[in-house]
Amino acid sequence: MRDLVRDLGVGTEISLTILRAGKKIKLKAQLENSPPSPETAARFPCHAHGFVFRDRTFFDKEAVAAKKGLVVSKISAKGNALLAGLKVNDIIVEINGQKVDKVEQARTLVQASQSLLVKIWRKGAEKALTLRIQVN
């Protein structure tokens, strides 16, 4: 089936017949590119604060529930993100009061700030965290 779909190409309209509850149902669909996986999604390492975030994908259940945002994919053992309470798989929905949905948008906000007010989505609830670069 995968080879057939690949050979038809993106944009091709197809007709499908499925069997549901003993009845044949005819459907029409248009082939699209498969969504990016978590491994191939755009990402940005925020070294100053000690975490990595990436674009959310179709495969991120918590991110899909949040509707928008970026997925925290890694936390440094000694970074400010860990001290502030950020966790892997948190969904960042706002940075410094601005809604974020793409890595490129968030990268600009993160690079321009020594202190970040990050609104996250975790287990069905929003939470605000403050990350500050420590100056010794």
Side-chain angles (χ1 to χ4, degrees), residues 83-103:
L83 295 172
L86 199 63
K87 296 182 179 181
V88 170
N89 292 326
D90 280 348
I91 309 305
I92 300 172
V93 293
E94 284 184 17
I95 297 175
N96 293 342
Q98 294 191 34
K99 293 187 185 303
V100 291
D101 196 34
K102 293 289 181 195
V103 164

